[in-house]
Amino acid sequence: MRKDSKARKEKSKILNFIPTGEYYFNKGIKAYHRRDLPLSKKYLLRAVQLEPQEPMILCQLAMVCTEIGEYQESNELLHKIIDELDPDMTECHYFLANNYAHIGFFKEAYKHASIYIEDDIDGEFMEDAEDLIELISLDAEEVIDSLSEQDELILKQEEARDLLEKGNFQKAVELLQDIVKNYPEFWSAYNNLALAYFYLGEMEKTADVLEEVLEKSPGNLHALCNLAVFLFYQKRKRDLENILDGLFKVKPMLQEHQYKLGATFALIGKYEESYYWLKKLQKIGFDGDPGFYYWLSQSAYQMGHMKTAKQAWEVVLEFNPEKEGLEPWNEDRQDEVGYENHLSSLLKKLGSKYPEERWFGLFLLSVSEKKAAILSHEDFPSLDKFSEAEQQYASAIMASEKNNQPIRIPDRISAGHETAMVLFQRYQPIGPVESGLFLMWFSVVQAMLEKDAFAPNVNAFAAGIEYLWYKLRHEKKSQKELAEMNCISISTLRKYVKMLEDFLR
């Protein structure tokens, strides 16, 4: 053996190279300077995964997102920096101002530009920020109009969310269609629109909206998660597996995205992945809504972590005491509890500004197992908040509960109640999808009351509204089948369908 063989061997020893966040950050910067923005984003995302608390990396990623038109994602990153990581990184306010101005949110643009000028007197972008404020102020009338539009957008957003929560999907669709028409890059509105279509059974429209989002905003996590849920309920296993292959690899930085991912995995039965993300959020002190603790409890139970499951369920009960007895580990619990026994959902409907929702709420109350708790609840509306006919309905329900007698509905509204009862026999418990049928019916009830035009054949009404509901959902249900199911003739069904269509116009 040669004398220097040992030295050669030591010199040729292979050293492990473990890339760091800084390594990928530098590669991302080089790609950025070459204007290869997709590659730059790829490297920077990897850098963030390795060093998620480094604000400089997040800021550079936000700048790349801005340049490729992903303003909402850029803003989320910038807000994360100034809200959580480094409030003194004042240049983020200028970048936010620039983003908001680009998408027409001049109120937010003005606010962040002003913060930047005030907090960073010698800042690198001082002149640009002053020019931006001057540009915004050039046409005061236009700016005022823009600010009004923003306020209107916020109100519409909240109203759309409220309608979705209450199950009034048709009205939510109309409102969200208006939002996406006027704000074509407002992706959350698209995702909510897809959700509304899904609950209405408009599967083609659901798919179209999600495809549009993913085409215009590739990698939109909310759209991908919604698509996974859509495919799961459609039982399209192969397509779902393709989406999940991508979602399993996603490592989101924002807590909102981590929550969305964890909840989605739980909903489609991927409890190991769900528990990973939701438990991770809990460990860093994430203060979620009741849904967060619900899904954490579900996934923890499925993975055998009973202590976490029970602790999370205690929080669920603080928000929703009516879920007592519905613990994931309670084998005797109902598989599904409908709106008729969801105290908070029912109270929201009773307090709605829409008459069809109040009618629906009153009907739910009439069949609820929790009448006493609802009628005695501090949020139960006073009778003067109802119309005269609604007061008659509510009073009949109250009298029934007080006297422990069957409900005696006044003649004027009996057909509305009795038709809903026929539907309830076939569609219970009433969940988000079924609520669309009842809301459609109570829209007719309201219209008929206004014209005093009720007819007595409740079976024909039930068959007619079912036919129109299935038609709206693009589901095949023949008139012959519905007529036989409701013991009426096809000619009678056609007559009532025509009548109902007139009242729904």
Side-chain angles (χ1 to χ4, degrees):
M1 184 179 290
R2 294 177 57 182
K3 290 182 180 179
D4 62 343
S5 61
K6 184 177 180 182
R8 286 173 179 270
K9 186 176 181 181
E10 288 179 354
K11 284 183 180 179
S12 64
K13 185 186 291 184
I14 297 174
L15 298 175
N16 289 329
F17 170 64
I18 303 175
T20 62
E22 183 180 2
Y23 170 79
Y24 284 110
F25 174 73
N26 289 331
K27 289 182 76 68
I29 291 290
K30 288 178 182 177
Y32 177 75
H33 287 200
R34 295 197 308 269
R35 308 307 296 162
D36 189 344
L37 298 178
L39 183 60
S40 177
K41 182 181 178 183
K42 179 181 177 181
Y43 283 135
L44 290 169
L45 281 170
R46 180 63 179 137
V48 171
Q49 289 170 9
L50 293 169
E51 296 188 43
Q53 303 301 311
E54 176 49 60
M56 283 299 297
I57 299 177
L58 268 70
C59 187
Q60 185 61 45
L61 177 58
M63 292 172 66
V64 172
C65 289
T66 293
E67 297 224 21
I68 58 180
E70 295 175 350
Y71 299 105
Q72 190 170 336
E73 187 173 343
S74 176
N75 286 346
E76 288 173 355
L77 291 164
L78 294 167
H79 277 295
K80 180 178 176 65
I81 294 169
I82 57 179
D83 294 342
E84 300 175 26
L85 301 179
D86 188 356
D88 296 326
M89 205 166 171
T90 52
E91 60 266 38
C92 290
H93 288 289
Y94 170 71
F95 297 142
L96 280 166
N98 194 52
N99 283 349
Y100 281 123
H102 191 91
I103 59 178
F105 280 34
F106 297 114
K107 185 177 182 179
E108 290 298 311
Y110 188 93
K111 181 180 82 173
H112 285 285
S114 299
I115 292 173
Y116 176 74
I117 290 171
E118 184 178 331
D119 290 354
D120 199 348
I121 298 173
D122 300 318
E124 178 184 355
F125 306 103
M126 177 62 68
E127 189 176 333
D128 293 325
E130 289 173 344
D131 288 345
L132 181 58
I133 286 181
E134 185 179 350
L135 183 64
I136 292 172
S137 305
L138 277 178
D139 194 336
E141 243 178 75
E142 186 178 336
V143 172
I144 290 169
D145 288 343
S146 296
L147 298 182
S148 299
E149 283 180 14
Q150 288 178 52
D151 291 337
E152 184 182 352
L153 173 61
I154 292 169
L155 290 173
K156 284 182 175 180
Q157 243 188 305
E158 292 304 314
E159 186 178 354
R161 286 199 189 103
D162 190 48
L163 289 169
L164 281 172
E165 287 177 6
K166 292 176 177 176
N168 202 333
F169 305 119
Q170 192 59 51
K171 277 191 167 62
V173 164
E174 294 168 7
L175 187 56
L176 289 163
Q177 283 176 332
D178 182 57
I179 292 175
V180 299
K181 179 182 178 182
N182 293 306
Y183 300 90
E185 292 184 348
F186 196 63
W187 307 124
S188 61
Y190 285 86
N191 286 319
N192 285 331
L193 179 59
L195 197 60
Y197 278 136
F198 176 71
Y199 282 132
L200 276 172
E202 299 269 12
M203 299 306 174
E204 287 186 17
K205 290 183 179 178
T206 301
D208 289 344
V209 172
L210 292 174
E211 285 176 11
E212 184 178 358
V213 175
L214 292 170
E215 181 181 334
K216 294 178 178 178
S217 177
N220 186 295
L221 186 64
H222 282 273
L224 287 169
C225 287
N226 288 343
L227 181 58
V229 173
F230 167 67
L231 296 172
F232 175 76
Y233 282 116
Q234 286 258 289
K235 301 190 184 301
R236 290 163 55 183
K237 293 183 179 180
R238 184 173 297 178
D239 292 333
L240 175 60
E241 286 172 3
N242 291 334
I243 294 292
L244 289 178
D245 284 343
L247 289 179
F248 288 150
K249 298 172 185 174
V250 171
K251 305 295 180 187
M253 300 161 295
L254 301 178
Q255 292 181 0
E256 175 196 349
H257 289 171
Q258 292 174 2
Y259 174 22
K260 177 72 175 180
L261 198 57
T264 300
F265 282 141
L267 198 148
I268 62 178
K270 300 297 180 183
Y271 295 110
E272 182 179 355
E273 292 80 6
S274 172
Y275 182 73
Y276 170 81
W277 286 112
L278 300 179
K279 185 62 178 177
K280 181 179 180 181
L281 283 169
Q282 187 192 39
K283 284 179 178 178
I284 61 173
F286 179 70
D287 187 19
D289 58 14
F292 168 76
Y293 295 100
Y294 176 83
W295 291 120
L296 175 59
S297 182
Q298 292 279 354
S299 61
Y301 167 69
Q302 294 292 339
M303 296 307 298
H305 302 292
M306 285 302 297
K307 183 178 179 181
T308 298
K310 289 183 176 181
Q311 288 175 342
W313 194 258
E314 287 176 6
V315 182
V316 172
L317 293 179
E318 288 177 15
F319 287 101
N320 299 301
E322 69 274 13
K323 290 191 180 292
E324 180 75 48
L326 301 176
E327 300 84 358
W329 52 90
N330 184 349
E331 295 179 0
D332 295 328
R333 76 189 192 282
Q334 298 175 20
D335 289 332
E336 183 180 359
V337 175
Y339 286 144
E340 62 270 26
N341 291 317
H342 276 180
L343 188 143
S344 57
S345 297
L346 208 156
L347 286 168
K348 282 182 181 179
K349 288 175 174 58
L350 289 170
S352 173
K353 65 180 179 181
Y354 299 106
E356 65 269 29
E357 284 191 353
R358 295 195 300 272
W359 280 109
F360 184 30
L362 287 167
F363 172 74
L364 291 171
L365 176 62
S366 75
V367 297
S368 178
E369 298 172 2
K370 301 184 178 181
K371 284 192 197 68
I374 295 164
L375 290 169
S376 61
H377 198 281
E378 61 181 5
D379 290 335
F380 186 84
S382 60
L383 285 179
D384 59 7
K385 300 294 184 183
F386 295 121
S387 68
E388 181 182 351
E390 290 165 358
Q391 287 179 24
Q392 292 175 348
Y393 198 13
S395 298
I397 297 168
M398 291 175 178
S400 166
E401 181 64 20
K402 180 181 178 181
N403 301 320
N404 195 26
Q405 296 288 332
I407 298 175
R408 297 178 180 177
I409 307 295
D411 291 342
R412 183 185 175 203
I413 56 177
S414 62
H417 174 79
E418 295 302 330
T419 300
M421 284 300 299
V422 172
L423 296 172
F424 184 64
Q425 298 307 313
R426 289 199 280 272
Y427 301 96
Q428 59 172 292
I430 301 175
V433 174
E434 293 82 5
S435 68
L437 170 63
F438 288 86
L439 283 166
M440 181 185 283
W441 168 240
F442 284 112
S443 295
V444 171
V445 169
Q446 180 63 24
M448 286 183 169
L449 282 168
E450 290 170 0
K451 297 184 178 181
D452 197 21
F454 268 105
N457 196 333
V458 297
N459 286 333
F461 273 136
I465 206 72
E466 279 184 275
Y467 176 78
L468 292 174
W469 185 58
Y470 280 114
K471 183 179 178 182
L472 176 67
R473 291 166 56 81
H474 302 293
E475 292 185 21
K476 291 182 179 180
K477 204 77 167 179
S478 70
Q479 290 187 351
K480 180 181 178 183
E481 182 181 354
L482 286 169
E484 290 176 352
M485 188 186 303
N486 289 276
C487 302
I488 59 173
S489 66
I490 293 178
S491 61
T492 298
L493 174 57
R494 287 174 180 163
K495 172 186 172 183
Y496 273 73
V497 166
K498 176 67 170 63
M499 186 193 308
L500 290 165
E501 284 177 330
D502 290 339
F503 280 109
L504 285 168
R505 285 197 177 98

